[in-house]
Amino acid sequence: MFRAQWMFELAPGVGSSSLETRPSRATKGSLLKAADTKGKQELAKEEKARELFLKAVEEEQNGALYEAIKFYRRAMQLVPDIEFKITYTRSPDGDGVGNSYMEDNDDDSKMADLLSCFQQQLTFQESVLKLCQPELESNQTHISVLPMEVLMYIFRWVVSSDLDLRSLEQLSQVCRGFYICARDPEIWRLACLKVWGRSCIKLVPYTSWREMFLERPRVRFDGVYISKTTYIRQGEQSLDGFYRAWHQVEYYRYIRFFPDGHVMVLTTPEEPQSIVPRLRTRNTRTDAILLGHYRLSQDTDNQTKVFAVITKKKEEKPLDYKYRYFRRVPVQEADQSFHVGLQLCSSGHQRFNKLIWIHHSCHVTYKSTGETAVTAFEIDKMYTPLFFARVRSYTAVSERPL
């Protein structure tokens, strides 16, 4: 309106105020009418785009993906950001497709605490209180007949001494009763005691044992920590002296932790696709694996560190009687162990999936003299951080429950 009035005033032959007033009022009315018409067109366009988008949602739910893509494209051609403007309050055919979205949003507040909700539903049932009901009629005995103590013992066997809490979470998705059993505080308290021992007697500052197990820094047991190292090494010079080869060396370090304090370490050039399946259990037949034990330590700076002592397997060589009449120089026996210090960190969306090297040293103890020689390795670029990789199809195999 201001621009129109300004252009009218600049037009030649306009001198009186009355003439200025009449065209400005007419211009104002025309502009208001044009704005009103444009607003109605925008609303009609947005309404049409909303109907097309809801129709596309319906076609996608029915499995007609090609038809859904056509409707999505037509809706976005009308209004590019229709996806963020739509509220799903109704469906174009009135079949309740949009209403389901509103119901889900309303139930979010009710499902904030599934445990209390499921407990209330089981409490207010008219029949005898049972954790679960059979879906189909059967003459066989249903698992809901078992007492609560027996069911909890089964759940502890699922967790086992390997702390396979991933399988416990999968078991909790069976029904409401299993969800309640999987949230039993005693199971999570025993898991915390298995990991931290006496240092987790107090629950503070966590609200539950499950929260402590999920939030407190710890090493993960359902996979392997892997570090890939690559460097260039100078080779031998050729005989004519005009050529010297350079070699690219690449190898991996694998570290697998167990809840009982044991650890396995393997350094090999083989890739994780072939090595990780062999590290599912500690009873592996790989000869190059080093065994040891570890402990967690939390300093005053709230940084959790892992200290491990790793030893080589003792190879029992058979006696050679072929040259038993010859005198041999006795070989001095020695025990070799590696002392490793790592810092536990989190990276990305995963938790406790990164280990940073702090120190690495080799201790050689001679049995005859009892002396110990220590060689400390310098932590350089070759000691890249170790990142966690889950063991696929990992199942807990244990001789006793948690």
Side-chain angles (χ1 to χ4, degrees):
M1 291 174 61
F2 173 79
R3 181 177 179 85
Q5 185 178 359
W6 173 64
M7 294 295 293
F8 179 78
E9 292 176 356
L10 293 179
V14 179
S16 60
S17 60
S18 60
L19 293 176
E20 295 177 0
T21 306
R22 291 177 184 175
S24 64
R25 290 178 179 176
T27 305
K28 180 178 180 180
S30 62
L31 289 175
L32 289 175
K33 187 176 180 180
D36 190 14
T37 305
K38 186 177 181 180
K40 291 181 179 179
Q41 292 178 355
E42 292 293 335
L43 290 177
K45 185 186 296 183
E46 185 174 344
E47 184 69 20
K48 182 64 176 178
R50 183 182 291 107
E51 292 182 0
L52 291 173
F53 193 89
L54 290 176
K55 184 66 175 178
V57 172
E58 181 184 358
E59 294 293 341
E60 185 178 359
Q61 290 180 349
N62 295 333
L65 298 182
Y66 292 100
E67 297 295 332
I69 291 175
K70 293 180 182 179
F71 287 113
Y72 279 133
R73 185 178 300 169
R74 291 174 56 187
M76 296 185 67
Q77 286 176 353
L78 294 175
V79 181
D81 57 344
I82 186 62
E83 182 181 1
F84 304 99
K85 292 183 178 181
I86 197 167
T87 56
Y88 301 95
T89 55
R90 68 178 183 87
S91 176
D93 296 337
D95 58 351
V97 175
N99 296 332
S100 61
Y101 293 92
M102 296 299 294
E103 293 176 359
D104 294 341
N105 295 332
D106 295 338
D107 293 341
D108 287 343
S109 58
K110 297 180 182 179
M111 296 302 168
D113 188 1
L114 287 176
L115 183 60
S116 60
C117 180
F118 288 164
Q119 288 176 346
Q120 291 178 3
Q121 292 178 5
L122 292 177
T123 303
F124 292 129
Q125 285 181 351
E126 297 180 359
S127 59
V128 182
L129 179 61
K130 292 184 179 180
L131 286 178
C132 53
Q133 299 292 339
E135 184 179 2
L136 302 175
E137 294 184 0
S138 176
N139 296 329
Q140 300 179 356
T141 304
H142 195 256
I143 192 173
S144 60
V145 181
L146 297 177
M148 177 66 73
E149 294 79 8
V150 178
L151 285 175
M152 294 309 303
Y153 196 76
I154 295 175
F155 274 70
R156 294 181 186 179
W157 270 97
V158 172
V159 177
S160 75
S161 60
D162 288 338
L163 296 186
D164 188 10
L165 295 170
R166 178 180 175 87
S167 298
L168 181 67
E169 292 296 319
Q170 294 177 350
L171 184 61
S172 67
Q173 300 176 6
V174 174
C175 62
R176 293 175 298 177
F178 281 17
Y179 186 92
I180 296 175
C181 292
R183 295 299 188 275
D184 184 57
E186 184 64 18
I187 293 180
W188 295 94
R189 187 185 70 86
L190 294 176
C192 293
L193 290 175
K194 190 84 173 178
V195 176
W196 294 287
R198 298 181 179 179
S199 61
C200 68
I201 297 178
K202 296 182 180 180
L203 194 58
V204 180
Y206 305 99
T207 58
S208 63
W209 294 106
R210 184 174 183 270
E211 182 183 356
M212 175 187 287
F213 186 86
L214 297 178
E215 299 295 334
R216 187 171 177 179
R218 57 175 175 82
V219 292
R220 300 179 60 173
F221 310 119
D222 56 342
V224 183
Y225 288 89
I226 305 175
S227 171
K228 181 180 179 181
T229 303
T230 304
Y231 66 94
I232 303 297
R233 181 177 62 84
Q234 187 177 8
E236 296 292 336
Q237 191 174 6
S238 60
L239 297 177
D240 54 4
F242 291 99
Y243 173 75
R244 182 182 292 272
W246 290 84
H247 305 280
Q248 181 179 357
V249 182
E250 182 178 288
Y251 64 93
Y252 297 86
R253 287 191 178 97
Y254 302 89
I255 299 182
R256 174 75 192 276
F257 296 95
F258 294 95
D260 56 357
H262 287 81
V263 61
M264 293 192 312
V265 179
L266 175 62
T267 303
T268 177
E270 298 186 44
E271 296 184 354
Q273 288 80 1
S274 59
I275 292 298
V276 170
R278 305 181 194 174
L279 302 179
R280 291 179 182 175
T281 61
R282 71 188 67 182
N283 299 324
T284 179
R285 297 181 179 180
T286 306
D287 298 332
I289 285 184
L290 305 180
L291 302 177
H293 59 275
Y294 72 96
R295 64 180 178 87
L296 297 176
S297 176
Q298 188 171 9
D299 297 339
T300 56
D301 55 356
N302 292 330
Q303 292 183 354
T304 303
K305 298 179 181 179
V306 184
F307 297 98
V309 178
I310 305 158
T311 57
K312 286 186 176 181
K313 293 182 179 179
K314 294 183 178 179
E315 300 180 358
E316 296 182 357
K317 296 182 179 180
L319 298 177
D320 188 5
Y321 296 99
K322 185 176 181 180
Y323 304 100
R324 62 181 181 274
Y325 297 108
F326 293 89
R327 178 178 295 180
R328 289 186 176 184
V329 179
V331 180
Q332 189 175 11
E333 297 183 358
D335 293 333
Q336 188 178 17
S337 62
F338 298 92
H339 293 241
V340 177
L342 302 165
Q343 181 178 345
L344 185 62
C345 304
S346 298
S347 175
H349 298 287
Q350 299 185 10
R351 300 180 62 84
F352 323 129
N353 65 329
K354 183 178 179 180
L355 291 174
I356 301 177
W357 292 87
I358 300 177
H359 68 82
H360 186 200
S361 59
C362 177
H363 295 239
V364 180
T365 303
Y366 299 98
K367 294 183 178 181
S368 59
T369 60
E371 297 179 355
T372 302
V374 181
T375 303
F377 302 101
E378 183 180 358
I379 304 298
D380 53 5
K381 295 182 179 179
M382 294 175 56
Y383 287 83
T384 55
L386 296 106
F387 289 92
F388 180 81
R390 191 185 303 278
V391 177
R392 296 182 180 179
S393 65
Y394 170 71
T395 55
V397 180
S398 176
E399 298 179 355
R400 59 185 185 281
L402 176 65

